[in-house]
Amino acid sequence: MIGGPLRAHAEQLLAERVGFVVATVVRAQHPTSVHPGDAALVFADGTIEGFVGGTCAQSSVRLHTARVLETGEPLLLRLVPGPATAAEPASRAAIGVGSAGLAAAEPLEGTVVAHNPCLSGGALDIFLEPVLPAPRLVVVGDAPIAQALERIGRAAGYSVSRGSGEQACPRPGDAACVVASHGAGEEAALTAALEAGVPYVALVASPRRGAAVRDALDFPDALRARLHVPAGLAVGARTPSEIALSILTEIVAERHAHPAVSEAAPVAHGGPTELDPAADAAPSATSAATALDPICGMTVAVAPATPSLEHGGERLWFCCEGCRAAYAARLAGDAAQR
């Protein structure tokens, strides 16, 4: 468990709606410089705050952190020194076969074995846990349905921001935007949400009035078709709470049917109440781009914090500064022989 300055920073990041991964060493085999319980915060750009091993171990942590942020699922990363065997690729190896006493008879679900040719110490087991802000639900309006949706949404683990149409500031990373303002500021809020690419945009209105509002939106037909109206599933809901529940049910169904990279299972409740663009900035999605280290052949994450070198108009990526320096020395030697 993280503590001290790392814990304080983690709490600050969650308040700012910034996602990260907590990396915790759960097993370390001698010789190694880390111990069980050592931890770090790892970010989408590859930055590591804390200590979970040397530069070679950090390279594997960066790579799999990007994948954990993509999926929102935790994993146990087993780092084994040396190259992979013929039966195992260098990264994402078949689970269950380690080395130096880390063999397992059966595959372990949720575990990834990475053979790290640069790792000079013993094998490491590092648990990578994603910590992502609660999905944001924007509710526009002060009607009983809007109030009920705010209440039920918070109970379901969403960060709910409710206000008027003029205050609404939907973001691309938002989970949903529901307009229940009985005509006040409807088109502006719906336009902002659709333009931002919010995956679920809905209007609380009768089918007849909802169709008129949809037709009035100055959008291509394909984009206007994304508007859910009337909002919610047709379950015979009558009271504001029942209607709000039907809307939230439809939001959940849409999210699971079409999961977005930037949306993960909520890990925190509550969140900012007001529609403050700065406080509710969406976390950025991470694309787990990879490259091969030309020195050791290790798969590394393409990230700002990963050592790299530009040569011949191409950027090369390395697991550590040692491999980067070795490649630079090779280039210098080749140039001297010409």
Side-chain angles (χ1 to χ4, degrees):
M1 179 182 295
I2 58 174
L6 282 184
R7 183 178 184 86
H9 191 198
E11 292 173 351
Q12 176 188 348
L13 291 169
L14 276 178
E16 295 172 353
R17 297 187 59 77
V18 177
F20 56 92
V21 164
V22 176
T24 306
V25 177
V26 296
R27 190 171 190 267
Q29 196 168 48
H30 296 293
T32 181
S33 58
V34 295
H35 304 88
D38 287 344
L41 306 182
V42 192
F43 303 95
D45 65 356
T47 301
I48 297 177
E49 181 182 335
F51 185 65
V52 286
T55 55
C56 292
Q58 291 173 12
S59 183
S60 294
V61 169
R62 286 192 186 98
L63 173 63
H64 292 282
T65 285
R67 290 166 175 169
V68 165
L69 286 174
E70 278 191 317
T71 64
E73 296 292 333
L75 65 81
L76 180 63
L77 174 62
R78 176 164 293 174
L79 300 182
V80 180
T85 65
E88 292 182 303
S91 182
R92 288 221 175 248
I95 308 305
V97 181
S99 67
L102 286 179
E106 296 293 335
L108 301 176
E109 184 177 354
T111 303
V112 169
V113 175
H115 289 263
N116 190 320
C118 295
L119 199 64
S120 58
L124 300 174
D125 284 0
I126 303 175
F127 185 64
L128 303 180
E129 180 183 11
V131 182
L132 301 170
R136 182 172 179 252
L137 167 60
V138 177
V139 180
V140 178
D142 194 41
I145 293 174
Q147 296 177 23
L149 183 57
E150 178 184 17
R151 183 176 65 255
I152 295 175
R154 289 189 184 280
Y158 286 78
S159 172
V160 184
S161 295
R162 185 172 65 84
S164 67
E166 292 73 21
Q167 293 175 299
C169 187
R171 299 279 178 171
D174 290 345
C177 177
V178 179
V179 178
S181 58
H182 292 295
E186 284 181 342
E187 291 190 19
L190 294 172
T191 296
L194 290 171
E195 287 180 342
V198 176
Y200 179 90
V201 182
L203 173 66
V204 176
S206 66
R208 181 175 180 180
R209 192 175 76 81
V213 173
R214 175 192 281 143
D215 292 342
L217 295 176
D218 188 17
F219 281 119
D221 290 342
L223 194 57
R224 281 188 296 179
R226 290 186 52 242
L227 175 62
H228 294 260
V229 60
L233 297 177
V235 294
R238 296 184 178 182
T239 68
S241 292
E242 289 178 344
I243 295 171
L245 184 59
S246 75
I247 295 171
L248 187 62
T249 301
E250 188 172 42
I251 292 173
V252 172
E254 287 284 317
R255 291 186 70 220
H256 286 293
H258 308 287
V261 170
S262 59
E263 294 179 37
V267 297
H269 295 277
T273 302
E274 298 177 345
L275 297 175
D276 182 355
D280 284 314
S284 60
T286 302
S287 178
T290 62
L292 287 179
D293 185 321
I295 294 295
C296 67
M298 182 178 171
T299 301
V300 298
V302 174
T306 303
S308 66
L309 177 70
E310 187 171 348
H311 173 65
E314 179 184 3
R315 183 157 293 278
L316 305 171
W317 304 85
F318 304 87
C319 71
C320 62
E321 288 295 340
C323 283
R324 182 183 181 280
Y327 193 83
R330 179 191 295 178
L331 294 178
D334 292 343
Q337 292 178 359
R338 293 193 187 101

